[in-house]
Amino acid sequence: MGKVLIPQEIAKEGVEALLEAGHEIRMGTGLSEEELAREAADCDAILLRTAAVTRRVLEAGKKLKIVARHGAGYNNVDIQAAQELGIWVTNTPDATTSSVAEFTIGAILAAARRMFEMNYAMKSGNFFYKNTHKGTDLAGKTLAVIGLGRIGLAVAKKAYYGLDMKIIAFAHNKEQKDVPEYIRLVDWETAFREADFVSLHVPLRESTRGFVGARELGWMKKSSYLINCARGEVVKEQELIQALEQGQIAGAFCDVLEQEPPAEDNPLLFMKQVSVTPHMASNTEECMAKMACQAATQVNRVLAGMEPDWPVNQPVGR
């Protein structure tokens, strides 16, 4: 049994799982570094959503044994500091797969049929805007999946079997024999040049920060779309804005941005050929419950003296 800090509200199923295991729960009062450091001081675990857990927070938590990330990404945790301090960091790698893949398919459909642009025109009283701004079918079009982890593979499968799309992919750690036969692995440049839709599915690391920019956007067809349901920082946002303003690509669907919430004057918010949503791909009732429960399970295991199922580090001394 231990004390678990939960800085942001999670699904009740996760809270119940912790209480049933006999843990005491401390709901956080704020997300600043100072608040997190103060509230983690006497806690054994942190069940984390989007707050930033820095070295200062980890050092303040003298009793911390685990930071359980509620979701697949873990770029908001100082992994090196946790490693050195003997603190497990875990995630829920499969909890978001289906939800994010479904959302991505919806994003591709919305971009192809210019749904948000049409919605804006309708609300402005222009029913016949559609006559001069037609969408495009997806059957036979080429989808480039950048990153073939769980979500990338799920998106490829849904797009191939559900939408009759051709699938190409870039994945530096995969060989053709390791992927389904309907996916053709290609090099970095070919992925952008051949695709009608480029969908990003990579974690945010230093190696992926800003790895899609003017060069890649310049390779894309003028009729193509960029879909980003990964992390905003993997795209050089100003270079994307410039490419859109200059008509280098047809449009974009961004569920994530470099700054969240975005600045009120961010040009992406006002471009008709761009759909912007508030980092919501995994924001379903089912997915939130699954993430909360899986994160709670990792807390329960570690505080019971066991190793976690989904570690993202190997703490010193473990």
Side-chain angles (χ1 to χ4, degrees):
M1 293 185 291
K3 184 180 293 185
V4 183
L5 172 63
I6 305 179
Q8 293 160 284
E9 184 178 348
I10 64 170
K12 62 180 178 60
E13 290 88 345
V15 174
E16 290 169 356
L18 292 170
L19 292 173
E20 287 173 7
H23 303 306
E24 176 185 345
I25 291 176
R26 170 178 290 173
M27 294 304 301
T29 60
L31 303 182
S32 70
E33 184 180 54
E34 182 178 353
E35 290 166 316
L36 289 170
R38 182 180 66 249
E39 295 178 349
D42 61 344
C43 288
D44 301 279
I46 300 176
L47 198 159
L48 183 70
R49 288 186 62 184
T50 62
V53 171
T54 62
R55 177 178 289 273
R56 178 186 171 192
V57 174
L58 293 169
E59 289 178 343
K62 302 297 185 184
K63 298 171 59 181
L64 280 177
K65 298 177 182 66
I66 178 174
V67 176
R69 173 76 175 86
H70 176 287
Y74 45 88
N75 53 286
N76 55 329
V77 183
D78 188 328
I79 301 296
Q80 183 61 39
Q83 186 90 357
E84 295 169 6
L85 294 166
I87 301 169
W88 287 107
V89 179
T90 63
N91 66 346
T92 58
D94 196 41
T96 63
T97 300
S98 179
S99 299
V100 176
E102 285 182 7
F103 184 92
T104 302
I105 294 298
I108 294 169
L109 283 162
R113 297 305 178 88
R114 307 172 78 160
M115 290 183 188
F116 286 82
E117 188 176 344
M118 298 299 168
N119 180 259
Y120 177 82
M122 280 284 287
K123 290 181 176 179
S124 300
N126 190 353
F127 182 86
F128 295 104
Y129 181 85
K130 63 179 182 176
N131 293 341
T132 53
H133 296 80
K134 294 179 174 62
T136 183
D137 287 343
L138 292 176
K141 298 298 192 302
T142 298
L143 170 65
V145 179
I146 307 299
L148 282 178
R150 290 177 173 87
I151 295 172
L153 284 168
V155 169
K157 182 178 181 180
K158 291 176 186 295
Y160 177 77
Y161 285 109
L163 300 173
D164 199 23
M165 298 185 77
K166 298 175 182 177
I167 311 297
I168 61 176
F170 173 83
H172 65 84
N173 60 344
K174 301 277 189 182
E175 296 183 14
Q176 190 64 55
K177 64 182 177 61
D178 299 325
V179 302
E181 61 181 10
Y182 55 80
I183 299 175
R184 177 167 60 94
L185 293 182
V186 297
D187 62 50
W188 182 246
E189 183 173 343
T190 300
F192 288 87
R193 286 196 181 279
E194 288 192 6
D196 298 296
F197 297 83
V198 175
S199 191
L200 306 179
H201 299 285
V202 295
L204 178 62
R205 299 176 178 141
E206 284 311 307
S207 60
T208 61
R209 188 180 297 275
F211 82 155
V212 175
R215 182 183 65 163
E216 290 75 18
L217 296 165
W219 288 336
M220 292 173 67
K221 304 173 186 177
K222 288 192 174 182
S223 59
S224 63
Y225 291 83
L226 180 71
I227 311 295
N228 188 7
C229 298
R231 287 292 185 271
E233 296 95 324
V234 304
V235 175
K236 294 176 181 175
E237 198 165 282
Q238 288 305 312
E239 294 179 14
L240 172 61
I241 291 169
Q242 185 175 17
L244 289 161
E245 289 175 340
Q246 294 177 355
Q248 290 181 344
I249 62 175
F253 190 112
C254 301
D255 184 48
V256 288
L257 298 167
E258 281 186 342
Q259 176 186 324
E260 297 177 358
E264 292 182 359
D265 61 351
N266 187 322
L268 292 174
L269 301 176
F270 306 99
M271 293 181 172
K272 288 184 178 180
Q273 74 274 43
V274 178
S275 298
V276 183
T277 49
H279 201 152
M280 58 175 283
S282 63
N283 193 34
T284 68
E285 295 288 348
E286 296 86 351
C287 187
M288 296 301 283
K290 188 181 294 185
M291 285 191 289
C293 288
Q294 290 188 2
T297 297
Q298 301 312 287
V299 171
N300 290 343
R301 286 184 63 85
V302 170
L303 296 191
M306 296 182 284
E307 291 196 358
D309 299 302
W310 305 297
V312 298
N313 69 338
Q314 186 67 35
V316 173
R318 297 289 182 178

